PDB file of all heavy atoms in Angstrom:
ATOM      1  N   GLU A  12     -95.673   4.685 254.891  1.00 75.00           N
ATOM      2  CA  GLU A  12     -95.909   4.080 256.218  1.00 75.00           C
ATOM      3  C   GLU A  12     -94.798   4.646 257.025  1.00 75.00           C
ATOM      4  O   GLU A  12     -93.697   4.634 256.608  1.00 75.00           O
ATOM      5  CB  GLU A  12     -95.974   2.514 256.115  1.00 75.00           C
ATOM      6  CG  GLU A  12     -97.026   2.042 255.372  1.00 75.00           C
ATOM      7  CD  GLU A  12     -96.944   0.486 255.204  1.00 75.00           C
ATOM      8  OE1 GLU A  12     -96.145  -0.125 255.894  1.00 75.00           O
ATOM      9  OE2 GLU A  12     -97.819  -0.053 254.457  1.00 75.00           O
ATOM     10  N   THR A  13     -95.108   5.114 258.220  1.00 75.00           N
ATOM     11  CA  THR A  13     -94.125   5.607 259.204  1.00 75.00           C
ATOM     12  C   THR A  13     -93.639   4.600 260.230  1.00 75.00           C
ATOM     13  O   THR A  13     -94.568   3.770 260.564  1.00 75.00           O
ATOM     14  CB  THR A  13     -94.523   6.789 259.788  1.00 75.00           C
ATOM     15  OG1 THR A  13     -95.717   6.579 260.580  1.00 75.00           O
ATOM     16  CG2 THR A  13     -94.917   7.985 258.862  1.00 75.00           C
ATOM     17  N   LYS A  14     -92.426   4.714 260.557  1.00 79.00           N
ATOM     18  CA  LYS A  14     -91.910   3.828 261.618  1.00 79.00           C
ATOM     19  C   LYS A  14     -91.077   4.866 262.570  1.00 79.00           C
ATOM     20  O   LYS A  14     -90.467   5.811 262.204  1.00 79.00           O
ATOM     21  CB  LYS A  14     -90.921   2.809 261.038  1.00 79.00           C
ATOM     22  CG  LYS A  14     -91.591   1.842 260.159  1.00 79.00           C
ATOM     23  CD  LYS A  14     -90.546   0.838 259.633  1.00 79.00           C
ATOM     24  CE  LYS A  14     -91.221  -0.174 258.624  1.00 79.00           C
ATOM     25  NZ  LYS A  14     -90.210  -1.037 258.079  1.00 79.00           N
ATOM     26  N   ALA A  15     -91.131   4.365 263.850  1.00 84.00           N
ATOM     27  CA  ALA A  15     -90.376   5.150 264.888  1.00 84.00           C
ATOM     28  C   ALA A  15     -88.741   4.873 264.673  1.00 84.00           C
ATOM     29  O   ALA A  15     -88.483   3.850 264.154  1.00 84.00           O
ATOM     30  CB  ALA A  15     -90.809   4.785 266.271  1.00 84.00           C
ATOM     31  N   GLY A  16     -88.030   5.905 265.037  1.00 83.00           N
ATOM     32  CA  GLY A  16     -86.614   5.649 264.875  1.00 83.00           C
ATOM     33  C   GLY A  16     -85.967   6.627 263.690  1.00 83.00           C
ATOM     34  O   GLY A  16     -86.685   7.247 262.875  1.00 83.00           O
ATOM     35  N   ASP A  17     -84.708   6.639 263.782  1.00 83.00           N
ATOM     36  CA  ASP A  17     -83.941   7.464 262.782  1.00 83.00           C
ATOM     37  C   ASP A  17     -83.715   6.598 261.533  1.00 83.00           C
ATOM     38  O   ASP A  17     -83.075   5.548 261.665  1.00 83.00           O
ATOM     39  CB  ASP A  17     -82.543   7.809 263.505  1.00 83.00           C
ATOM     40  CG  ASP A  17     -81.712   8.604 262.555  1.00 83.00           C
ATOM     41  OD1 ASP A  17     -82.226   9.010 261.391  1.00 83.00           O
ATOM     42  OD2 ASP A  17     -80.607   8.821 262.834  1.00 83.00           O
ATOM     43  N   PRO A  18     -84.199   7.083 260.396  1.00 85.00           N
ATOM     44  CA  PRO A  18     -84.055   6.412 259.157  1.00 85.00           C
ATOM     45  C   PRO A  18     -82.670   6.302 258.607  1.00 85.00           C
ATOM     46  O   PRO A  18     -82.409   5.726 257.591  1.00 85.00           O
ATOM     47  CB  PRO A  18     -85.087   7.021 258.185  1.00 85.00           C
ATOM     48  CG  PRO A  18     -85.163   8.447 258.701  1.00 85.00           C
ATOM     49  CD  PRO A  18     -85.015   8.394 260.166  1.00 85.00           C
ATOM     50  N   GLY A  19     -81.767   7.242 259.139  1.00 85.00           N
ATOM     51  CA  GLY A  19     -80.586   7.520 258.463  1.00 85.00           C
ATOM     52  C   GLY A  19     -80.559   8.461 257.436  1.00 85.00           C
ATOM     53  O   GLY A  19     -81.654   8.843 256.997  1.00 85.00           O
ATOM     54  N   PRO A  20     -79.494   8.982 256.872  1.00 87.00           N
ATOM     55  CA  PRO A  20     -79.394   9.967 255.869  1.00 87.00           C
ATOM     56  C   PRO A  20     -80.080   9.670 254.534  1.00 87.00           C
ATOM     57  O   PRO A  20     -80.559  10.514 253.844  1.00 87.00           O
ATOM     58  CB  PRO A  20     -77.945  10.461 255.824  1.00 87.00           C
ATOM     59  CG  PRO A  20     -77.236   9.258 256.352  1.00 87.00           C
ATOM     60  CD  PRO A  20     -78.098   8.502 257.189  1.00 87.00           C
ATOM     61  N   LEU A  21     -80.054   8.387 254.220  1.00 87.00           N
ATOM     62  CA  LEU A  21     -80.567   7.987 252.973  1.00 87.00           C
ATOM     63  C   LEU A  21     -81.875   7.229 253.040  1.00 87.00           C
ATOM     64  O   LEU A  21     -82.390   6.659 251.996  1.00 87.00           O
ATOM     65  CB  LEU A  21     -79.531   7.101 252.166  1.00 87.00           C
ATOM     66  CG  LEU A  21     -78.213   7.714 251.851  1.00 87.00           C
ATOM     67  CD1 LEU A  21     -77.162   6.705 251.312  1.00 87.00           C
ATOM     68  CD2 LEU A  21     -78.371   8.894 250.849  1.00 87.00           C
ATOM     69  N   GLY A  22     -82.481   7.294 254.208  1.00 87.00           N
ATOM     70  CA  GLY A  22     -83.748   6.632 254.396  1.00 87.00           C
ATOM     71  C   GLY A  22     -85.012   7.654 254.054  1.00 87.00           C
ATOM     72  O   GLY A  22     -84.894   8.826 253.938  1.00 87.00           O
ATOM     73  N   SER A  23     -86.147   7.009 254.148  1.00 87.00           N
ATOM     74  CA  SER A  23     -87.329   7.751 253.893  1.00 87.00           C
ATOM     75  C   SER A  23     -87.819   8.421 255.241  1.00 87.00           C
ATOM     76  O   SER A  23     -87.656   7.709 256.422  1.00 87.00           O
ATOM     77  CB  SER A  23     -88.482   6.847 253.541  1.00 87.00           C
ATOM     78  OG  SER A  23     -88.211   6.337 252.267  1.00 87.00           O
ATOM     79  N   SER A  24     -88.287   9.563 255.155  1.00 89.00           N
ATOM     80  CA  SER A  24     -88.732  10.390 256.432  1.00 89.00           C
ATOM     81  C   SER A  24     -89.729  11.396 256.068  1.00 89.00           C
ATOM     82  O   SER A  24     -89.792  11.877 254.880  1.00 89.00           O
ATOM     83  CB  SER A  24     -87.548  10.933 257.117  1.00 89.00           C
ATOM     84  OG  SER A  24     -86.919  12.015 256.341  1.00 89.00           O
ATOM     85  N   LEU A  25     -90.587  11.767 257.046  1.00 90.00           N
ATOM     86  CA  LEU A  25     -91.379  12.959 256.903  1.00 90.00           C
ATOM     87  C   LEU A  25     -90.750  14.041 257.859  1.00 90.00           C
ATOM     88  O   LEU A  25     -90.686  13.743 258.972  1.00 90.00           O
ATOM     89  CB  LEU A  25     -92.858  12.630 257.402  1.00 90.00           C
ATOM     90  CG  LEU A  25     -93.564  11.547 256.552  1.00 90.00           C
ATOM     91  CD1 LEU A  25     -94.874  11.208 257.278  1.00 90.00           C
ATOM     92  CD2 LEU A  25     -93.861  12.091 255.200  1.00 90.00           C
ATOM     93  N   GLY A  26     -90.433  15.087 257.158  1.00 91.00           N
ATOM     94  CA  GLY A  26     -89.694  16.112 258.019  1.00 91.00           C
ATOM     95  C   GLY A  26     -88.355  15.731 258.270  1.00 91.00           C
ATOM     96  O   GLY A  26     -87.726  14.777 257.887  1.00 91.00           O
ATOM     97  N   GLY A  27     -87.650  16.413 259.231  1.00 90.00           N
ATOM     98  CA  GLY A  27     -86.363  15.974 259.722  1.00 90.00           C
ATOM     99  C   GLY A  27     -85.231  16.591 258.870  1.00 90.00           C
ATOM    100  O   GLY A  27     -85.460  17.625 258.173  1.00 90.00           O
ATOM    101  N   THR A  28     -84.152  16.007 258.853  1.00 91.00           N
ATOM    102  CA  THR A  28     -82.969  16.540 258.171  1.00 91.00           C
ATOM    103  C   THR A  28     -82.773  15.720 256.782  1.00 91.00           C
ATOM    104  O   THR A  28     -82.845  14.525 256.859  1.00 91.00           O
ATOM    105  CB  THR A  28     -81.676  16.251 258.993  1.00 91.00           C
ATOM    106  OG1 THR A  28     -81.819  16.957 260.228  1.00 91.00           O
ATOM    107  CG2 THR A  28     -80.398  16.814 258.291  1.00 91.00           C
ATOM    108  N   PRO A  29     -82.792  16.449 255.741  1.00 94.00           N
ATOM    109  CA  PRO A  29     -82.556  15.797 254.483  1.00 94.00           C
ATOM    110  C   PRO A  29     -81.124  15.338 254.204  1.00 94.00           C
ATOM    111  O   PRO A  29     -80.166  15.937 254.743  1.00 94.00           O
ATOM    112  CB  PRO A  29     -83.023  16.947 253.456  1.00 94.00           C
ATOM    113  CG  PRO A  29     -82.468  18.153 254.118  1.00 94.00           C
ATOM    114  CD  PRO A  29     -82.803  17.949 255.550  1.00 94.00           C
ATOM    115  N   TYR A  30     -81.017  14.467 253.155  1.00 94.00           N
ATOM    116  CA  TYR A  30     -79.696  14.175 252.763  1.00 94.00           C
ATOM    117  C   TYR A  30     -79.346  15.260 251.717  1.00 94.00           C
ATOM    118  O   TYR A  30     -79.960  15.661 250.924  1.00 94.00           O
ATOM    119  CB  TYR A  30     -79.639  12.799 252.040  1.00 94.00           C
ATOM    120  CG  TYR A  30     -78.389  12.620 251.326  1.00 94.00           C
ATOM    121  CD1 TYR A  30     -77.313  12.207 252.037  1.00 94.00           C
ATOM    122  CD2 TYR A  30     -78.163  12.860 249.945  1.00 94.00           C
ATOM    123  CE1 TYR A  30     -76.034  11.963 251.472  1.00 94.00           C
ATOM    124  CE2 TYR A  30     -76.864  12.761 249.377  1.00 94.00           C
ATOM    125  CZ  TYR A  30     -75.788  12.196 250.166  1.00 94.00           C
ATOM    126  OH  TYR A  30     -74.555  11.965 249.467  1.00 94.00           O
ATOM    127  N   LEU A  31     -77.975  15.794 252.077  1.00 95.00           N
ATOM    128  CA  LEU A  31     -77.530  16.737 251.161  1.00 95.00           C
ATOM    129  C   LEU A  31     -75.975  16.283 250.676  1.00 95.00           C
ATOM    130  O   LEU A  31     -75.465  15.730 251.576  1.00 95.00           O
ATOM    131  CB  LEU A  31     -77.416  18.118 251.783  1.00 95.00           C
ATOM    132  CG  LEU A  31     -78.673  18.817 252.240  1.00 95.00           C
ATOM    133  CD1 LEU A  31     -78.475  20.117 253.051  1.00 95.00           C
ATOM    134  CD2 LEU A  31     -79.637  19.103 250.980  1.00 95.00           C
ATOM    135  N   GLU A  32     -75.792  16.471 249.449  1.00 93.00           N
ATOM    136  CA  GLU A  32     -74.395  16.152 249.039  1.00 93.00           C
ATOM    137  C   GLU A  32     -73.293  16.948 249.778  1.00 93.00           C
ATOM    138  O   GLU A  32     -73.636  18.124 250.208  1.00 93.00           O
ATOM    139  CB  GLU A  32     -74.169  16.415 247.603  1.00 93.00           C
ATOM    140  CG  GLU A  32     -75.054  15.530 246.698  1.00 93.00           C
ATOM    141  CD  GLU A  32     -74.455  14.074 246.594  1.00 93.00           C
ATOM    142  OE1 GLU A  32     -73.178  13.866 246.860  1.00 93.00           O
ATOM    143  OE2 GLU A  32     -75.231  13.111 246.371  1.00 93.00           O
ATOM    144  N   PRO A  33     -72.211  16.423 249.994  1.00 95.00           N
ATOM    145  CA  PRO A  33     -71.202  17.282 250.787  1.00 95.00           C
ATOM    146  C   PRO A  33     -70.920  18.653 250.019  1.00 95.00           C
ATOM    147  O   PRO A  33     -70.728  18.710 248.761  1.00 95.00           O
ATOM    148  CB  PRO A  33     -69.880  16.502 250.607  1.00 95.00           C
ATOM    149  CG  PRO A  33     -70.434  15.076 250.520  1.00 95.00           C
ATOM    150  CD  PRO A  33     -71.571  15.218 249.689  1.00 95.00           C
ATOM    151  N   GLY A  34     -71.041  19.704 250.698  1.00 96.00           N
ATOM    152  CA  GLY A  34     -70.839  21.128 250.178  1.00 96.00           C
ATOM    153  C   GLY A  34     -72.111  21.708 249.654  1.00 96.00           C
ATOM    154  O   GLY A  34     -72.127  22.777 249.242  1.00 96.00           O
ATOM    155  N   GLU A  35     -73.111  20.844 249.539  1.00 95.00           N
ATOM    156  CA  GLU A  35     -74.445  21.420 248.885  1.00 95.00           C
ATOM    157  C   GLU A  35     -75.221  22.321 249.914  1.00 95.00           C
ATOM    158  O   GLU A  35     -75.377  21.931 251.082  1.00 95.00           O
ATOM    159  CB  GLU A  35     -75.333  20.197 248.564  1.00 95.00           C
ATOM    160  CG  GLU A  35     -76.733  20.533 247.960  1.00 95.00           C
ATOM    161  CD  GLU A  35     -77.601  19.367 247.647  1.00 95.00           C
ATOM    162  OE1 GLU A  35     -77.082  18.189 247.990  1.00 95.00           O
ATOM    163  OE2 GLU A  35     -78.681  19.565 247.136  1.00 95.00           O
ATOM    164  N   ALA A  36     -75.602  23.259 249.450  1.00 95.00           N
ATOM    165  CA  ALA A  36     -76.383  24.302 250.251  1.00 95.00           C
ATOM    166  C   ALA A  36     -77.755  23.888 250.517  1.00 95.00           C
ATOM    167  O   ALA A  36     -78.345  23.171 249.658  1.00 95.00           O
ATOM    168  CB  ALA A  36     -76.436  25.656 249.581  1.00 95.00           C
ATOM    169  N   TRP A  37     -78.226  24.183 251.653  1.00 95.00           N
ATOM    170  CA  TRP A  37     -79.667  23.837 252.119  1.00 95.00           C
ATOM    171  C   TRP A  37     -80.605  24.715 251.153  1.00 95.00           C
ATOM    172  O   TRP A  37     -80.341  25.845 250.821  1.00 95.00           O
ATOM    173  CB  TRP A  37     -80.002  24.330 253.525  1.00 95.00           C
ATOM    174  CG  TRP A  37     -81.328  23.731 253.997  1.00 95.00           C
ATOM    175  CD1 TRP A  37     -82.532  24.099 253.757  1.00 95.00           C
ATOM    176  CD2 TRP A  37     -81.433  22.719 255.020  1.00 95.00           C
ATOM    177  NE1 TRP A  37     -83.455  23.438 254.424  1.00 95.00           N
ATOM    178  CE2 TRP A  37     -82.777  22.511 255.144  1.00 95.00           C
ATOM    179  CE3 TRP A  37     -80.457  21.878 255.755  1.00 95.00           C
ATOM    180  CZ2 TRP A  37     -83.252  21.609 256.067  1.00 95.00           C
ATOM    181  CZ3 TRP A  37     -80.912  21.003 256.589  1.00 95.00           C
ATOM    182  CH2 TRP A  37     -82.387  20.751 256.836  1.00 95.00           C
ATOM    183  N   PRO A  38     -81.650  23.974 250.505  1.00 95.00           N
ATOM    184  CA  PRO A  38     -82.541  24.659 249.536  1.00 95.00           C
ATOM    185  C   PRO A  38     -83.259  25.838 250.242  1.00 95.00           C
ATOM    186  O   PRO A  38     -83.650  25.893 251.369  1.00 95.00           O
ATOM    187  CB  PRO A  38     -83.631  23.636 249.149  1.00 95.00           C
ATOM    188  CG  PRO A  38     -82.847  22.340 249.425  1.00 95.00           C
ATOM    189  CD  PRO A  38     -81.946  22.569 250.537  1.00 95.00           C
ATOM    190  N   THR A  39     -83.316  26.939 249.522  1.00 93.00           N
ATOM    191  CA  THR A  39     -83.919  28.147 249.975  1.00 93.00           C
ATOM    192  C   THR A  39     -85.097  28.596 248.981  1.00 93.00           C
ATOM    193  O   THR A  39     -85.133  28.263 247.939  1.00 93.00           O
ATOM    194  CB  THR A  39     -82.942  29.391 249.919  1.00 93.00           C
ATOM    195  OG1 THR A  39     -82.395  29.594 248.644  1.00 93.00           O
ATOM    196  CG2 THR A  39     -81.850  29.139 251.021  1.00 93.00           C
ATOM    197  N   CYS A  40     -86.112  29.389 249.634  1.00 91.00           N
ATOM    198  CA  CYS A  40     -87.278  29.825 248.951  1.00 91.00           C
ATOM    199  C   CYS A  40     -86.780  30.876 247.977  1.00 91.00           C
ATOM    200  O   CYS A  40     -86.015  31.760 248.179  1.00 91.00           O
ATOM    201  CB  CYS A  40     -88.235  30.439 249.936  1.00 91.00           C
ATOM    202  SG  CYS A  40     -89.676  31.193 249.273  1.00 91.00           S
TER     203      CYS A  40
END
Side-chain angles (χ1 to χ4, degrees):
E12 297 177 7
T13 59
K14 296 179 184 177
D17 181 5
L21 296 175
S23 296
S24 66
L25 296 175
T28 303
Y30 173 77
L31 299 174
E32 292 286 336
E35 181 181 4
W37 194 286
T39 58
C40 175

